[in-house]
Coordinates of all heavy atoms in Angstrom, one line a residue:
M113 N 0.8 -1.2 0.0 CA 0.0 0.0 0.0 C 0.9 1.2 0.0 O 1.9 1.3 0.7 CB -0.9 0.0 1.2 CG -2.1 1.0 1.2 SD -2.9 1.2 2.8 CE -3.4 -0.5 3.2
D114 N 0.5 2.2 -0.8 CA 1.2 3.5 -0.8 C 1.3 4.1 0.6 O 0.4 4.1 1.3 CB 0.4 4.4 -1.8 CG 1.2 5.7 -2.0 OD1 1.0 6.7 -1.2 OD2 1.9 5.8 -3.1
E115 N 2.5 4.7 0.9 CA 2.7 5.2 2.2 C 1.7 6.3 2.6 O 1.2 6.4 3.8 CB 4.2 5.7 2.4 CG 4.6 6.1 3.7 CD 4.1 5.2 4.9 OE1 3.5 4.2 4.8 OE2 4.2 5.6 6.0
S116 N 1.4 7.2 1.6 CA 0.4 8.3 2.0 C -1.0 7.7 2.2 O -1.7 8.2 3.1 CB 0.4 9.3 0.9 OG -0.1 8.8 -0.3
V117 N -1.3 6.7 1.5 CA -2.6 6.0 1.7 C -2.7 5.4 3.1 O -3.6 5.5 3.8 CB -2.9 5.0 0.6 CG1 -4.2 4.2 0.9 CG2 -3.1 5.7 -0.8
R118 N -1.6 4.7 3.4 CA -1.5 4.0 4.7 C -1.6 5.0 5.8 O -2.4 4.8 6.8 CB -0.2 3.3 4.8 CG 0.0 2.4 6.1 CD 1.4 1.9 6.3 NE 1.9 1.2 5.2 CZ 1.5 -0.1 4.9 NH1 0.8 -0.8 5.8 NH2 2.0 -0.8 3.9
A119 N -1.0 6.2 5.7 CA -1.0 7.2 6.7 C -2.4 7.8 6.8 O -2.9 8.0 8.0 CB 0.0 8.4 6.4
E120 N -3.1 8.0 5.7 CA -4.4 8.6 5.8 C -5.4 7.6 6.4 O -6.3 8.0 7.2 CB -4.9 9.1 4.4 CG -6.3 9.7 4.5 CD -6.7 10.5 3.3 OE1 -6.1 10.4 2.3 OE2 -7.7 11.3 3.5
L121 N -5.3 6.3 6.0 CA -6.2 5.3 6.5 C -5.9 5.2 8.0 O -6.9 5.1 8.8 CB -5.8 3.9 5.9 CG -6.7 2.8 6.1 CD1 -8.2 3.1 5.8 CD2 -6.3 1.5 5.3
G122 N -4.7 5.3 8.5 CA -4.4 5.2 9.9 C -5.0 6.4 10.7 O -5.6 6.2 11.7
R123 N -4.9 7.6 10.1 CA -5.5 8.8 10.7 C -7.0 8.6 10.8 O -7.6 8.9 11.9 CB -5.1 10.0 9.9 CG -5.4 11.3 10.5 CD -5.0 12.5 9.6 NE -5.6 12.4 8.2 CZ -6.9 12.7 8.0 NH1 -7.7 13.0 8.9 NH2 -7.4 12.6 6.7
L124 N -7.6 8.2 9.8 CA -9.1 8.0 9.8 C -9.5 6.9 10.8 O -10.5 7.1 11.5 CB -9.6 7.7 8.4 CG -9.5 8.8 7.4 CD1 -9.8 8.3 5.9 CD2 -10.5 9.9 7.7
R125 N -8.7 5.9 10.8 CA -9.1 4.8 11.8 C -8.9 5.2 13.2 O -9.7 4.8 14.1 CB -8.3 3.5 11.5 CG -8.8 2.8 10.2 CD -8.0 1.6 9.9 NE -8.6 0.8 8.8 CZ -8.0 -0.2 8.2 NH1 -6.8 -0.6 8.5 NH2 -8.6 -0.8 7.2
D126 N -7.9 6.1 13.5 CA -7.7 6.6 14.8 C -9.0 7.4 15.2 O -9.5 7.3 16.4 CB -6.5 7.6 14.9 CG -5.2 6.8 14.9 OD1 -5.3 5.5 15.1 OD2 -4.2 7.4 14.7
S127 N -9.5 8.2 14.3 CA -10.7 9.0 14.6 C -11.9 8.0 14.8 O -12.7 8.2 15.7 CB -10.9 9.9 13.4 OG -12.0 10.7 13.6
I128 N -12.0 7.0 14.0 CA -13.1 6.0 14.1 C -13.0 5.4 15.5 O -14.0 5.2 16.2 CB -13.1 5.0 13.0 CG1 -13.5 5.6 11.7 CG2 -14.0 3.8 13.3 CD1 -13.2 4.8 10.4
D129 N -11.8 5.0 15.9 CA -11.6 4.3 17.2 C -12.1 5.3 18.4 O -12.7 4.8 19.3 CB -10.2 3.9 17.4 CG -9.8 2.7 16.6 OD1 -10.8 2.0 16.1 OD2 -8.6 2.4 16.5
N130 N -11.7 6.6 18.2 CA -12.2 7.5 19.3 C -13.7 7.7 19.3 O -14.3 7.7 20.4 CB -11.6 8.9 19.0 CG -10.1 9.0 19.4 OD1 -9.6 8.2 20.2 ND2 -9.4 10.0 18.8
I131 N -14.3 7.7 18.1 CA -15.8 7.8 18.1 C -16.4 6.6 18.7 O -17.4 6.7 19.4 CB -16.2 8.1 16.6 CG1 -15.8 9.4 16.1 CG2 -17.8 8.0 16.5 CD1 -15.8 9.6 14.6
D132 N -15.9 5.4 18.3 CA -16.5 4.1 18.9 C -16.4 4.1 20.4 O -17.3 3.7 21.1 CB -15.7 2.9 18.3 CG -16.1 2.7 16.8 OD1 -17.1 3.3 16.3 OD2 -15.4 1.8 16.2
A133 N -15.2 4.6 20.9 CA -15.1 4.7 22.4 C -16.1 5.6 23.0 O -16.7 5.3 24.0 CB -13.7 5.1 22.7
A134 N -16.3 6.7 22.3 CA -17.3 7.7 22.9 C -18.7 7.1 22.8 O -19.5 7.2 23.8 CB -17.3 9.0 22.0
V135 N -19.1 6.3 21.8 CA -20.4 5.7 21.6 C -20.6 4.7 22.8 O -21.6 4.7 23.4 CB -20.5 5.0 20.3 CG1 -21.7 4.1 20.2 CG2 -20.6 6.0 19.1
I136 N -19.5 3.9 23.1 CA -19.6 2.9 24.1 C -19.8 3.6 25.5 O -20.7 3.2 26.3 CB -18.3 2.0 24.2 CG1 -18.3 1.1 23.0 CG2 -18.2 1.2 25.5 CD1 -19.4 0.1 22.8
H137 N -19.1 4.7 25.7 CA -19.2 5.4 27.0 C -20.6 6.0 27.1 O -21.2 6.0 28.2 CB -18.1 6.4 27.2 CG -16.8 5.8 27.5 ND1 -15.7 5.9 26.7 CD2 -16.4 5.0 28.5 CE1 -14.7 5.2 27.2 NE2 -15.1 4.6 28.3
M138 N -21.1 6.6 26.0 CA -22.4 7.2 26.1 C -23.5 6.1 26.3 O -24.5 6.3 27.0 CB -22.7 8.0 24.8 CG -21.9 9.3 24.8 SD -22.4 10.4 23.5 CE -21.6 9.5 22.1
L139 N -23.3 5.0 25.6 CA -24.3 3.9 25.8 C -24.3 3.4 27.3 O -25.3 3.1 27.9 CB -24.0 2.7 24.9 CG -24.6 2.9 23.4 CD1 -24.1 1.7 22.6 CD2 -26.1 3.0 23.4
A140 N -23.1 3.3 27.8 CA -23.0 2.9 29.2 C -23.7 3.8 30.2 O -24.5 3.4 31.1 CB -21.5 2.7 29.7
E141 N -23.6 5.1 29.9 CA -24.3 6.1 30.7 C -25.8 6.0 30.5 O -26.6 6.1 31.5 CB -23.8 7.6 30.4 CG -22.5 7.9 30.9 CD -22.3 7.7 32.4 OE1 -23.1 8.2 33.2 OE2 -21.4 7.0 32.8
R142 N -26.2 5.8 29.3 CA -27.7 5.7 29.0 C -28.2 4.4 29.7 O -29.3 4.5 30.3 CB -27.9 5.5 27.5 CG -29.3 5.6 27.1 CD -29.5 5.3 25.6 NE -30.8 5.9 25.1 CZ -32.0 5.3 25.4 NH1 -32.0 4.2 26.0 NH2 -33.1 5.8 24.9
F143 N -27.5 3.3 29.7 CA -28.0 2.1 30.4 C -28.0 2.3 31.9 O -28.9 1.7 32.6 CB -27.2 0.9 30.0 CG -27.7 0.3 28.7 CD1 -27.1 0.5 27.5 CD2 -28.9 -0.5 28.7 CE1 -27.6 0.0 26.3 CE2 -29.4 -1.0 27.5 CZ -28.7 -0.8 26.3
K144 N -27.1 3.1 32.4 CA -27.1 3.4 33.9 C -28.4 4.1 34.2 O -29.1 3.8 35.2 CB -26.0 4.3 34.3 CG -24.7 3.5 34.6 CD -23.6 4.5 35.1 CE -22.2 4.0 34.8 NZ -21.2 5.0 34.9
A145 N -28.8 5.1 33.4 CA -30.1 5.8 33.6 C -31.3 4.9 33.4 O -32.2 4.9 34.2 CB -30.2 7.0 32.6
T146 N -31.3 4.1 32.4 CA -32.5 3.2 32.1 C -32.6 2.1 33.2 O -33.7 1.7 33.5 CB -32.4 2.6 30.7 OG1 -31.2 1.8 30.5 CG2 -32.6 3.6 29.6
Q147 N -31.5 1.7 33.8 CA -31.6 0.7 34.9 C -32.3 1.4 36.1 O -33.2 0.7 36.7 CB -30.2 0.3 35.4 CG -29.4 -0.7 34.5 CD -30.1 -2.0 34.4 OE1 -30.8 -2.3 33.4 NE2 -29.9 -2.9 35.4
Q148 N -32.1 2.7 36.3 CA -32.8 3.4 37.4 C -34.3 3.5 37.0 O -35.1 3.4 37.9 CB -32.2 4.7 37.6 CG -30.8 4.7 38.2 CD -30.2 6.0 38.5 OE1 -30.8 6.9 39.1 NE2 -29.0 6.2 38.0
V149 N -34.5 3.8 35.8 CA -36.0 3.8 35.3 C -36.6 2.4 35.6 O -37.7 2.4 36.0 CB -36.1 4.2 33.8 CG1 -37.5 4.1 33.3 CG2 -35.6 5.7 33.6
G150 N -35.9 1.4 35.3 CA -36.4 0.0 35.5 C -36.8 -0.2 36.9 O -37.9 -0.8 37.2
H151 N -35.9 0.2 37.8 CA -36.2 0.0 39.3 C -37.4 0.9 39.7 O -38.3 0.4 40.5 CB -35.0 0.3 40.1 CG -33.9 -0.7 40.0 ND1 -34.0 -1.9 40.7 CD2 -32.8 -0.8 39.3 CE1 -33.0 -2.7 40.4 NE2 -32.2 -2.0 39.6
L152 N -37.5 2.1 39.2 CA -38.6 3.0 39.5 C -39.9 2.4 39.0 O -40.9 2.3 39.7 CB -38.4 4.4 38.8 CG -39.2 5.5 39.3 CD1 -38.9 5.8 40.8 CD2 -38.8 6.8 38.5
K153 N -39.9 1.9 37.7 CA -41.1 1.3 37.1 C -41.5 0.1 37.9 O -42.7 -0.1 38.2 CB -40.9 0.9 35.7 CG -40.9 2.1 34.8 CD -40.7 1.7 33.3 CE -41.1 2.9 32.4 NZ -41.0 2.5 31.0
A154 N -40.6 -0.8 38.3 CA -40.9 -2.0 39.0 C -41.5 -1.7 40.4 O -42.5 -2.3 40.8 CB -39.6 -2.9 39.2
A155 N -40.9 -0.7 41.1 CA -41.4 -0.3 42.4 C -42.8 0.2 42.4 O -43.5 0.1 43.3 CB -40.4 0.7 43.0
H156 N -43.2 0.9 41.3 CA -44.5 1.5 41.1 C -45.4 0.7 40.2 O -46.5 1.2 39.8 CB -44.4 2.9 40.7 CG -43.6 3.8 41.7 ND1 -44.3 4.3 42.8 CD2 -42.3 4.0 41.9 CE1 -43.4 5.0 43.5 NE2 -42.2 4.8 43.0
K157 N -45.0 -0.5 39.9 CA -45.8 -1.5 39.1 C -46.2 -0.8 37.7 O -47.3 -1.0 37.3 CB -47.1 -1.9 39.9 CG -46.8 -2.5 41.2 CD -47.3 -3.9 41.3 CE -47.0 -4.6 42.7 NZ -45.6 -4.7 43.0
L158 N -45.3 -0.1 37.2 CA -45.5 0.5 35.8 C -45.0 -0.5 34.8 O -44.1 -1.3 35.0 CB -44.8 1.8 35.7 CG -45.2 2.9 36.6 CD1 -44.2 4.1 36.6 CD2 -46.6 3.4 36.2
P159 N -45.7 -0.5 33.6 CA -45.2 -1.5 32.5 C -43.8 -1.2 32.0 O -43.5 0.0 32.0 CB -46.3 -1.3 31.4 CG -47.0 0.0 31.7 CD -46.8 0.3 33.2
P160 N -43.1 -2.2 31.6 CA -41.7 -2.0 31.1 C -41.7 -1.0 29.9 O -40.8 -0.2 29.8 CB -41.2 -3.4 30.8 CG -42.0 -4.3 31.6 CD -43.4 -3.6 31.8
A161 N -42.6 -1.2 29.0 CA -42.6 -0.4 27.8 C -43.6 0.7 27.8 O -44.6 0.6 28.5 CB -42.9 -1.3 26.6
D162 N -43.2 1.8 27.2 CA -44.1 3.0 27.1 C -44.1 3.4 25.6 O -43.3 4.2 25.1 CB -43.5 4.1 28.0 CG -44.4 5.4 28.0 OD1 -45.2 5.5 27.0 OD2 -44.3 6.2 28.9
P163 N -45.0 2.8 24.8 CA -45.0 3.1 23.4 C -45.2 4.5 23.0 O -44.6 5.0 22.0 CB -46.2 2.2 22.9 CG -46.4 1.2 23.9 CD -46.0 1.8 25.2
A164 N -45.9 5.3 23.8 CA -46.1 6.7 23.5 C -44.8 7.5 23.6 O -44.5 8.3 22.8 CB -47.2 7.3 24.4
R165 N -44.1 7.2 24.6 CA -42.7 7.8 24.8 C -41.8 7.4 23.7 O -41.1 8.2 23.1 CB -42.1 7.3 26.2 CG -40.7 7.5 26.4 CD -40.3 9.0 26.6 NE -38.8 9.1 26.9 CZ -38.1 10.1 26.6 NH1 -38.6 11.2 26.0 NH2 -36.8 10.1 26.8
E166 N -41.9 6.1 23.3 CA -41.0 5.7 22.1 C -41.4 6.4 20.9 O -40.5 6.8 20.1 CB -41.2 4.2 21.9 CG -40.5 3.4 23.1 CD -40.7 1.9 22.9 OE1 -40.8 1.4 21.7 OE2 -40.9 1.2 23.9
A167 N -42.7 6.6 20.6 CA -43.1 7.3 19.4 C -42.5 8.8 19.4 O -42.0 9.2 18.3 CB -44.6 7.4 19.3
R168 N -42.5 9.4 20.6 CA -41.9 10.8 20.6 C -40.4 10.7 20.4 O -39.9 11.6 19.7 CB -42.2 11.4 22.0 CG -43.7 11.8 22.2 CD -43.9 12.7 23.4 NE -43.5 12.1 24.7 CZ -44.2 11.3 25.5 NH1 -45.4 11.0 25.1 NH2 -43.7 10.8 26.6
Q169 N -39.8 9.7 21.0 CA -38.3 9.6 20.8 C -38.0 9.4 19.3 O -37.0 10.0 18.8 CB -37.7 8.4 21.6 CG -37.7 8.7 23.1 CD -37.4 7.5 23.9 OE1 -38.3 6.6 24.0 NE2 -36.2 7.4 24.5
I170 N -38.7 8.5 18.7 CA -38.5 8.2 17.3 C -38.6 9.5 16.4 O -37.8 9.8 15.6 CB -39.4 7.1 16.8 CG1 -38.9 5.7 17.4 CG2 -39.4 7.0 15.2 CD1 -39.9 4.6 17.2
A171 N -39.7 10.2 16.6 CA -39.9 11.4 15.8 C -38.8 12.4 16.0 O -38.3 13.0 15.1 CB -41.3 12.0 16.3
R172 N -38.4 12.6 17.3 CA -37.3 13.5 17.6 C -36.0 13.0 17.0 O -35.3 13.8 16.4 CB -37.1 13.6 19.2 CG -36.0 14.4 19.6 CD -36.0 14.7 21.1 NE -34.8 15.4 21.6 CZ -33.7 14.8 22.0 NH1 -33.7 13.5 22.0 NH2 -32.7 15.5 22.3
L173 N -35.6 11.7 17.1 CA -34.4 11.3 16.6 C -34.4 11.3 15.0 O -33.3 11.5 14.4 CB -34.1 9.8 17.1 CG -33.6 9.7 18.5 CD1 -32.9 8.4 18.7 CD2 -32.6 10.8 18.9
R174 N -35.5 11.0 14.4 CA -35.6 11.1 13.0 C -35.3 12.5 12.5 O -34.5 12.7 11.5 CB -36.9 10.6 12.5 CG -37.1 9.1 12.6 CD -38.4 8.7 11.9 NE -38.3 8.9 10.4 CZ -38.1 7.9 9.6 NH1 -38.0 6.6 10.0 NH2 -38.0 8.1 8.3
E175 N -35.8 13.5 13.2 CA -35.6 14.9 12.8 C -34.1 15.3 13.0 O -33.4 15.9 12.2 CB -36.5 15.8 13.6 CG -36.4 17.2 13.0 CD -37.3 18.2 13.7 OE1 -38.2 17.8 14.5 OE2 -37.1 19.4 13.5
L176 N -33.5 14.8 14.2 CA -32.1 15.1 14.5 C -31.2 14.5 13.4 O -30.3 15.1 12.9 CB -31.7 14.5 15.8 CG -32.2 15.3 17.1 CD1 -31.8 14.5 18.3 CD2 -31.5 16.7 17.1
A177 N -31.6 13.2 13.0 CA -30.8 12.5 12.0 C -30.9 13.2 10.7 O -29.8 13.4 10.0 CB -31.3 11.1 11.8
E178 N -32.1 13.7 10.3 CA -32.2 14.4 9.0 C -31.3 15.6 9.0 O -30.6 15.9 8.0 CB -33.6 14.8 8.7 CG -34.3 13.8 7.8 CD -35.8 14.2 7.6 OE1 -36.1 15.3 7.2 OE2 -36.6 13.3 7.9
N179 N -31.4 16.4 10.1 CA -30.6 17.6 10.2 C -29.1 17.3 10.1 O -28.3 18.1 9.7 CB -30.9 18.4 11.4 CG -32.3 19.0 11.4 OD1 -32.9 19.1 10.3 ND2 -32.9 19.3 12.5
A180 N -28.7 16.1 10.7 CA -27.3 15.7 10.7 C -26.9 15.0 9.5 O -25.7 14.5 9.4 CB -27.0 14.9 12.0
K181 N -27.8 14.8 8.5 CA -27.5 14.1 7.2 C -27.2 12.6 7.5 O -26.3 12.0 6.9 CB -26.4 14.7 6.4 CG -26.6 16.2 6.2 CD -26.0 16.7 4.9 CE -26.3 18.2 4.6 NZ -27.6 18.7 5.1
L182 N -27.9 12.1 8.5 CA -27.8 10.6 8.8 C -29.2 10.0 8.4 O -30.2 10.7 8.5 CB -27.6 10.5 10.3 CG -27.6 9.0 10.8 CD1 -26.2 8.4 10.5 CD2 -27.7 9.0 12.4
D183 N -29.2 8.8 7.9 CA -30.4 8.2 7.4 C -31.4 8.0 8.6 O -31.1 7.3 9.6 CB -30.0 6.8 6.8 CG -31.2 6.0 6.3 OD1 -32.4 6.6 6.4 OD2 -31.0 4.9 5.8
P184 N -32.6 8.7 8.5 CA -33.5 8.6 9.6 C -34.0 7.2 9.9 O -34.3 6.8 11.1 CB -34.7 9.5 9.2 CG -34.2 10.3 8.0 CD -33.1 9.6 7.4
A185 N -34.1 6.4 8.9 CA -34.5 5.0 9.1 C -33.5 4.2 9.9 O -33.8 3.4 10.8 CB -34.7 4.3 7.7
F186 N -32.2 4.6 9.7 CA -31.1 3.9 10.5 C -31.2 4.4 11.9 O -31.1 3.6 12.8 CB -29.7 4.3 9.9 CG -28.6 3.8 10.8 CD1 -28.3 2.5 10.8 CD2 -28.0 4.7 11.6 CE1 -27.3 2.1 11.7 CE2 -27.0 4.3 12.5 CZ -26.6 3.0 12.5
A187 N -31.5 5.7 12.1 CA -31.6 6.2 13.5 C -32.7 5.6 14.2 O -32.6 5.2 15.4 CB -31.8 7.8 13.4
E188 N -33.8 5.4 13.5 CA -35.0 4.7 14.1 C -34.7 3.2 14.5 O -35.0 2.8 15.6 CB -36.2 4.8 13.2 CG -37.4 4.1 13.8 CD -38.7 4.4 13.0 OE1 -38.7 5.3 12.1 OE2 -39.7 3.7 13.2
K189 N -34.0 2.5 13.5 CA -33.6 1.1 13.8 C -32.7 1.0 15.0 O -32.8 0.2 15.9 CB -32.9 0.5 12.6 CG -33.8 -0.3 11.7 CD -33.1 -1.1 10.7 CE -32.6 -0.2 9.5 NZ -31.8 -0.9 8.5
F190 N -31.8 2.0 15.1 CA -30.8 2.0 16.2 C -31.5 2.2 17.5 O -31.2 1.5 18.5 CB -29.7 3.1 15.9 CG -28.6 3.2 16.9 CD1 -27.7 2.1 17.1 CD2 -28.4 4.3 17.7 CE1 -26.7 2.2 18.0 CE2 -27.4 4.4 18.6 CZ -26.5 3.3 18.8
L191 N -32.4 3.2 17.5 CA -33.1 3.4 18.8 C -33.9 2.2 19.2 O -33.9 1.8 20.3 CB -34.0 4.6 18.7 CG -34.8 5.0 20.0 CD1 -33.8 5.6 21.0 CD2 -36.0 5.9 19.8
N192 N -34.6 1.6 18.2 CA -35.5 0.4 18.5 C -34.6 -0.7 19.1 O -35.0 -1.5 20.0 CB -36.2 0.0 17.3 CG -37.4 0.9 16.9 OD1 -37.9 1.5 17.8 ND2 -37.8 0.9 15.7
F193 N -33.4 -0.9 18.5 CA -32.5 -1.9 19.0 C -32.1 -1.7 20.4 O -32.2 -2.6 21.3 CB -31.2 -1.9 18.1 CG -30.2 -2.9 18.4 CD1 -30.4 -4.2 18.2 CD2 -29.0 -2.5 18.9 CE1 -29.4 -5.2 18.5 CE2 -28.0 -3.4 19.2 CZ -28.2 -4.7 19.0
I194 N -31.8 -0.5 20.8 CA -31.4 -0.2 22.2 C -32.6 -0.3 23.1 O -32.5 -0.9 24.2 CB -30.8 1.3 22.2 CG1 -29.5 1.3 21.5 CG2 -30.6 1.7 23.7 CD1 -29.0 2.7 21.3
V195 N -33.8 0.2 22.7 CA -35.0 0.2 23.5 C -35.4 -1.3 23.8 O -35.8 -1.6 24.9 CB -36.1 1.0 22.9 CG1 -37.4 0.8 23.6 CG2 -35.7 2.5 23.0
A196 N -35.3 -2.1 22.8 CA -35.6 -3.5 23.0 C -34.8 -4.2 24.1 O -35.3 -4.9 25.0 CB -35.5 -4.3 21.7
E197 N -33.5 -3.8 24.1 CA -32.6 -4.3 25.2 C -33.0 -3.7 26.5 O -33.0 -4.4 27.6 CB -31.2 -3.9 24.8 CG -30.1 -4.4 25.8 CD -29.9 -5.9 25.8 OE1 -30.4 -6.6 24.9 OE2 -29.2 -6.4 26.7
V198 N -33.3 -2.4 26.6 CA -33.8 -1.8 27.8 C -35.0 -2.5 28.4 O -35.1 -2.7 29.6 CB -34.0 -0.3 27.6 CG1 -34.7 0.4 28.8 CG2 -32.7 0.5 27.2
I199 N -36.0 -2.8 27.5 CA -37.2 -3.4 27.9 C -36.9 -4.8 28.5 O -37.5 -5.2 29.5 CB -38.3 -3.5 26.8 CG1 -38.8 -2.0 26.5 CG2 -39.4 -4.4 27.1 CD1 -39.6 -1.9 25.2
R200 N -36.0 -5.5 27.9 CA -35.6 -6.8 28.5 C -35.0 -6.6 29.9 O -35.3 -7.4 30.8 CB -34.5 -7.5 27.6 CG -35.1 -8.4 26.5 CD -34.0 -9.3 25.9 NE -33.0 -8.6 25.2 CZ -33.2 -8.2 23.9 NH1 -34.4 -8.4 23.3 NH2 -32.3 -7.5 23.3
H201 N -34.2 -5.6 30.0 CA -33.6 -5.3 31.4 C -34.8 -5.0 32.4 O -34.8 -5.4 33.5 CB -32.7 -4.1 31.3 CG -31.4 -4.3 30.6 ND1 -30.4 -3.4 30.5 CD2 -30.9 -5.4 29.9 CE1 -29.4 -3.9 29.8 NE2 -29.7 -5.1 29.4
H202 N -35.7 -4.1 31.9 CA -36.8 -3.7 32.8 C -37.6 -5.0 33.2 O -38.0 -5.1 34.4 CB -37.8 -2.8 32.1 CG -37.3 -1.4 31.9 ND1 -36.1 -0.9 32.3 CD2 -37.9 -0.3 31.2 CE1 -36.0 0.3 32.0 NE2 -37.1 0.7 31.3
E203 N -37.8 -5.9 32.3 CA -38.6 -7.1 32.6 C -37.8 -8.0 33.6 O -38.4 -8.6 34.5 CB -38.9 -7.9 31.3 CG -39.9 -7.2 30.4 CD -40.0 -7.8 29.0 OE1 -39.1 -8.6 28.6 OE2 -41.0 -7.5 28.3
T204 N -36.5 -8.0 33.5 CA -35.7 -8.8 34.4 C -35.8 -8.2 35.8 O -36.0 -8.9 36.8 CB -34.2 -8.8 34.0 OG1 -34.2 -9.4 32.7 CG2 -33.4 -9.7 34.9
I205 N -35.7 -6.9 35.9 CA -35.8 -6.2 37.2 C -37.2 -6.4 37.8 O -37.3 -6.7 39.0 CB -35.5 -4.7 37.0 CG1 -34.1 -4.4 36.6 CG2 -35.9 -3.9 38.3 CD1 -33.8 -3.0 36.1
A206 N -38.3 -6.4 37.0 CA -39.6 -6.5 37.5 C -39.9 -8.0 38.0 O -40.6 -8.2 39.0 CB -40.6 -6.2 36.4
R207 N -39.2 -8.9 37.4 CA -39.3 -10.3 37.9 C -38.5 -10.6 39.1 O -38.8 -11.6 39.8 CB -38.8 -11.3 36.8 CG -39.9 -11.6 35.7 CD -39.5 -12.9 34.9 NE -38.1 -12.7 34.3 CZ -37.9 -12.2 33.1 NH1 -38.9 -11.8 32.4 NH2 -36.7 -12.1 32.6
A208 N -37.5 -9.8 39.4 CA -36.6 -10.1 40.6 C -37.3 -9.9 41.9 O -38.2 -9.2 42.1 CB -35.4 -9.2 40.5
Ligands
PRE276 O1 -38.6 6.2 29.4 C1 -39.0 5.1 29.7 O2 -40.1 4.9 30.2 C2 -38.1 4.0 29.6 O3 -38.3 2.9 30.1 C3 -36.8 4.2 28.8 C4 -37.0 3.8 27.3 C5 -35.7 4.1 26.6 O4 -34.8 3.3 26.6 O5 -35.6 5.3 26.2 C6 -37.2 2.3 27.3 C7 -38.5 1.7 27.2 C8 -39.7 2.5 27.0 O6 -40.6 1.9 26.2 C9 -39.4 3.9 26.6 C10 -38.2 4.5 26.7

């Protein structure tokens, strides 16, 4: 591989690695907050899922994605993926 190409690929990959680390740290903080929501919901016998809240989150994230030139369908799929995991956590907490 050409040396200048190798250098540019390395620089871009360093940036990707930093972004991936930030995503992991942000997700960890999000799950810390949702774990607390899970305990609150279980203590007050509230259902794990809140479809109305999810609909508002999806509308908001789709608009943020559009403004950021990110595919809104991808943003919606990503949120749904995370929320599905959160609901599983809530259900586990409620059963405990
Ligand atoms: O806000 C809540 O009620 C949550 O339980 C958190 C959360 C989320 O991960 O954002 C997860 C499940 C709900 O269906 C809606 C939102």
Side-chain angles (χ1 to χ4, degrees):
M113 196 191 303
D114 186 275
E115 186 41 10
S116 66
V117 173
R118 187 190 302 280
E120 181 164 17
L121 189 56
R123 189 180 57 73
L124 292 168
R125 285 179 173 170
D126 284 348
S127 184
I128 290 165
D129 285 346
N130 284 340
I131 293 164
D132 287 349
V135 168
I136 292 299
H137 287 118
M138 285 189 288
L139 279 174
E141 286 306 306
R142 191 184 198 284
F143 276 101
K144 277 186 206 164
T146 57
Q147 285 293 101
Q148 292 180 53
V149 171
H151 286 285
L152 195 62
K153 285 183 165 181
H156 296 275
K157 307 241 178 298
L158 296 168
D162 183 341
R165 163 73 175 151
E166 289 177 33
R168 291 194 298 276
Q169 287 170 289
I170 287 167
R172 176 170 174 269
L173 285 200
R174 287 187 68 101
E175 191 179 347
L176 285 173
E178 260 176 56
N179 292 339
K181 308 212 179 322
L182 178 73
D183 180 0
F186 172 77
E188 180 170 346
K189 263 193 282 181
F190 183 63
L191 183 74
N192 284 336
F193 179 68
I194 293 168
V195 167
E197 181 71 9
V198 171
I199 290 170
R200 268 194 296 278
H201 292 180
H202 287 357
E203 287 167 348
T204 303
I205 292 167
R207 274 197 305 272

